[in-house]
Amino acid sequence: MLTIGVDIGGTKVAAGVVDENGAIVENALRPTPADRPDLVAETVADVVKELSRGKDIEAVGVGAAGFVDETRSIVRFAPNLAWREEPLQKKITELIGLPVVVENDANAMAWAEARFGAGRGESHLVCVTIGTGIGGGIVIDGHLYRGRWGMGAELGHMQVVPEGRLCGCGNLGCWEQYASGNALVREIREIVANQPERAATLLGLAGETIEGEEVTEAARQGDEAALAAFASMADWLAQGMADLAAILDPGRFIVGGGVSRAADLFIDRTRETFERVLTGRGHRPVADIRLAELGASAGLVGAADLARRR
């Protein structure tokens, strides 16, 4: 049976027809009407209708960044689209006449990796998506963990530094302020401001504007400051994973998101630091840390599969 998965991002709506094995049969893109969140449902309906032509579609799964309620129908809060208590499932269902399931996008990505990607064969796993911030998803005993009100697994917002850096969520010291793409750039900018002699290669590449791509390229060319920033990010990433392991005891961590494309610069150190700071080290099995396999399509694949299992 075929289902359609939709991944609503800040700039584009990606959709695909997905079969029972997680393969994308056909896909399509639309720009996200970010300045008109009231038109997102119409955009989703439009792309679903296009992909449905000539096919027997069973259901539609929609992944959205933000808090999705326990009924998987209402987006309670979505920072990128200014949604507040948005009845997204109801709006889309009325437009397309098919069953619709709405899911947090990081949960959908984690489910896709668990079913078809790097999580195959492991029933207890934590997926960490590293981009501008940190998202995540948790699978326990083969089931996606969503929490009592559907708002679980907001991993990036566990506090790792009391009274630490201000986070976009309004709290202080959140994990994503120390182990994300934004954290990486902030770290390197602080080094450059205080010790520019350590960043000669980076400054030659980036000039006055330092972004993540320049930091990655500089690190691969051996820039001392860029390598130090990646090392700091790796250590913070490992510490957060160790804290999660103390609570959840997963068999595997899966690292995905845009920053994971630079994994060659931090994943080995992350594994080493994780083993060093893990509680009970030496007297317990150590979870393996793997890179996600499904790339940018994971969100829509996961959403489609969750719709199939609704």
Side-chain angles (χ1 to χ4, degrees), residues 23-280:
I24 300 174
V25 176
E26 184 181 351
N27 56 21
L29 288 172
R30 292 286 190 281
T32 302
D35 57 338
R36 290 287 308 276
D38 55 308
L39 296 181
V40 173
E42 286 84 349
T43 301
V44 171
D46 179 62
V47 74
V48 167
K49 289 175 183 176
E50 175 189 327
L51 291 173
S52 298
R53 292 190 189 106
K55 303 179 187 70
D56 184 13
I57 302 298
E58 177 187 354
V60 176
V62 178
F67 293 157
V68 179
D69 78 334
E70 69 274 20
T71 67
R72 297 191 293 176
S73 59
I74 298 171
V75 182
R76 298 216 177 272
F77 172 76
N80 292 332
L81 291 169
W83 276 333
R84 303 295 184 270
E85 304 300 326
E86 176 71 11
L88 191 60
Q89 180 200 48
K90 181 175 184 291
K91 286 185 175 181
I92 297 173
T93 300
E94 290 176 348
L95 291 168
I96 65 174
L98 288 170
V100 175
V101 169
V102 180
E103 185 58 79
N104 171 270
D105 60 345
N107 282 352
M109 180 263 192
W111 183 251
E113 290 290 344
R115 287 272 292 133
F116 309 111
R120 291 189 305 274
E122 176 53 64
S123 61
H124 293 71
L125 60 87
V126 175
C127 188
V128 181
T129 59
I130 312 172
T132 302
I134 291 180
I138 299 169
V139 174
I140 298 177
D141 199 21
H143 300 281
L144 184 65
Y145 178 77
R146 306 183 71 255
R148 170 62 181 84
W149 292 287
M151 301 175 190
E154 289 292 333
L155 308 182
H157 298 290
M158 64 178 184
Q159 187 185 64
V160 295
V161 179
E163 302 302 315
R165 294 170 177 165
L166 177 64
C167 183
C169 74
N171 288 333
L172 300 175
C174 291
W175 190 26
E176 70 174 39
Q177 295 304 310
Y178 300 87
S180 64
N182 275 356
L184 177 73
V185 173
R186 180 189 294 111
E187 180 80 14
I188 194 70
R189 287 174 177 169
E190 290 176 0
I191 295 173
V192 168
N194 295 300
Q195 299 172 298
E197 69 278 2
R198 298 177 64 194
T201 300
L202 174 62
L203 291 173
L205 290 169
E208 296 182 0
T209 304
I210 298 173
E211 301 296 343
E213 291 182 3
E214 288 85 6
V215 179
T216 299
E217 180 58 31
R220 289 188 173 135
Q221 293 185 28
D223 184 88
E224 181 184 351
L227 288 169
F230 270 106
S232 175
M233 190 192 80
D235 289 345
W236 279 112
L237 182 60
Q239 184 62 64
M241 288 179 173
D243 292 345
L244 289 167
I247 301 167
L248 298 171
D249 189 31
R252 184 171 302 158
F253 285 93
I254 299 171
V255 178
V259 176
S260 69
R261 291 194 292 269
D264 57 300
L265 296 168
F266 68 84
I267 198 67
D268 287 343
R269 183 175 178 120
T270 299
R271 291 181 177 121
E272 292 165 3
T273 304
F274 174 76
E275 291 194 31
R276 178 169 53 81
V277 301
L278 182 65
T279 184

Side-chain angles (χ1 to χ4, degrees), residues 1-6 16-23 58-62 72 101 103 107-108 110-116 142 144 294 297-310:
M1 291 187 177
L2 298 175
T3 53
I4 291 177
V6 182
V17 179
V18 181
D19 69 16
E20 294 178 349
N21 298 314
E58 177 187 354
V60 176
V62 178
R72 297 191 293 176
V101 169
E103 185 58 79
N107 282 352
W111 183 251
E113 290 290 344
R115 287 272 292 133
F116 309 111
L144 184 65
L294 301 180
S297 65
L300 73 87
V301 170
D305 196 64
L306 288 166
R308 180 176 291 108
R309 294 165 173 266
R310 67 195 183 283

